[in-house]
């Protein structure tokens, strides 16, 4: 399942780039979520304490990202993870990116695109920050940091 929120802005070459990512994703049979945009924080451990964890490069374009990816706005859910997400109590986990971050399963497998394939519209109101926020600058900086510090296999 592909999900794009209403403030998603596609990379001009999204169609061509996305196909290459999908081909690499097919080689990772146990992925749960595939993020195309957001703000990665691989060292987040749920306790507000830095864990020292880093993203791990799985292929030329894909990274496993432990911790959290905040403010997601474009992602895919695998067929095997889909039913587990639907079973979550929405009264406990809202908004959905909080559900994914705190999903009670240590086996979760979250894969991050090596570049922002989808950005957020800076001209739209953020229901997370309750304001107009320069999200692209924030996301670009967090992406560069997470990918730049990634462990290479």
């Amino acid at each position: 399942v592909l999900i794009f929120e209403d403030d998603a802005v596609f990379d001009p070459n999204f169609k061509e780039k996305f196909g290459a990512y999908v081909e690499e994703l097919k080689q990772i049979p146990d992925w749960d979520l595939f993020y195309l945009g957001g703000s990665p924080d691989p060292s987040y451990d749920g306790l507000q304490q830095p864990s020292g964890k880093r993203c791990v490069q799985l292929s030329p374009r894909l990274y496993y990202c432990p911790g959290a990816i905040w403010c997601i706005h474009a992602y895919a859910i695998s067929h095997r993870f889909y039913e587990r997400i639907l079973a979550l109590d929405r009264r406990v986990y809202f908004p959905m990116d909080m559900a994914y971050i705190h999903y009670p399963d240590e086996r979760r497998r979250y894969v991050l695109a090596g570049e922002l394939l989808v950005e957020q519209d800076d001209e739209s109101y953020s229901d997370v920050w309750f304001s107009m926020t320069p999200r692209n600058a924030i996301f670009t900086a967090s992406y560069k940091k997470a990918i730049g510090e990634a462990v290479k296999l």
Side-chain angles (χ1 to χ4, degrees):
V1 175
L2 275 172
I3 298 170
F4 298 98
E5 293 188 0
D6 63 338
D7 55 355
V9 177
F10 292 89
D11 180 285
N13 299 313
F14 176 82
K15 186 176 178 181
E16 295 79 22
K17 289 180 179 181
F18 186 67
Y21 277 92
V22 168
E23 288 305 312
E24 287 185 24
L25 194 59
K26 288 178 184 178
Q27 305 305 312
I28 303 170
D30 62 343
W31 67 275
D32 293 322
L33 289 167
F34 172 48
Y35 292 101
L36 296 106
S39 182
D41 182 5
S43 69
Y44 180 79
D45 68 356
L47 303 173
Q48 300 296 333
Q49 302 292 323
S51 68
K53 292 180 181 176
R54 300 182 339 194
C55 293
V56 176
Q57 188 169 8
L58 301 173
S59 68
R61 293 179 182 88
L62 300 175
Y63 294 78
Y64 163 67
C65 192
I69 299 181
W70 304 99
C71 304
I72 57 174
H73 49 276
Y75 57 100
I77 301 174
S78 73
H79 64 90
R80 63 186 187 81
F81 199 59
Y82 182 77
E83 293 297 326
R84 290 187 274 171
I85 291 300
L86 289 179
L88 288 175
D89 183 348
R90 291 283 304 193
R91 295 169 294 181
V92 174
Y93 296 109
F94 184 80
M96 279 311 291
D97 53 354
M98 297 305 290
Y100 303 142
I101 291 166
H102 297 289
Y103 185 78
D105 184 347
E106 293 303 313
R107 294 170 294 137
R108 68 182 186 204
R109 188 96 159 134
Y110 297 172
V111 179
L112 178 69
E115 63 182 315
L116 278 170
L117 295 176
V118 181
E119 298 179 352
Q120 271 188 316
D121 181 4
D122 280 340
E123 301 300 317
S124 65
Y125 181 80
S126 169
D127 60 352
V128 175
W129 291 315
F130 305 107
S131 66
M132 302 293 272
T133 307
R135 292 171 279 196
N136 282 335
I138 294 167
F139 296 159
T140 300
S142 67
Y143 247 76
K144 285 181 180 177
K145 183 176 188 322
I147 299 303
E149 295 176 354
V151 176
K152 310 289 187 222
L153 289 179

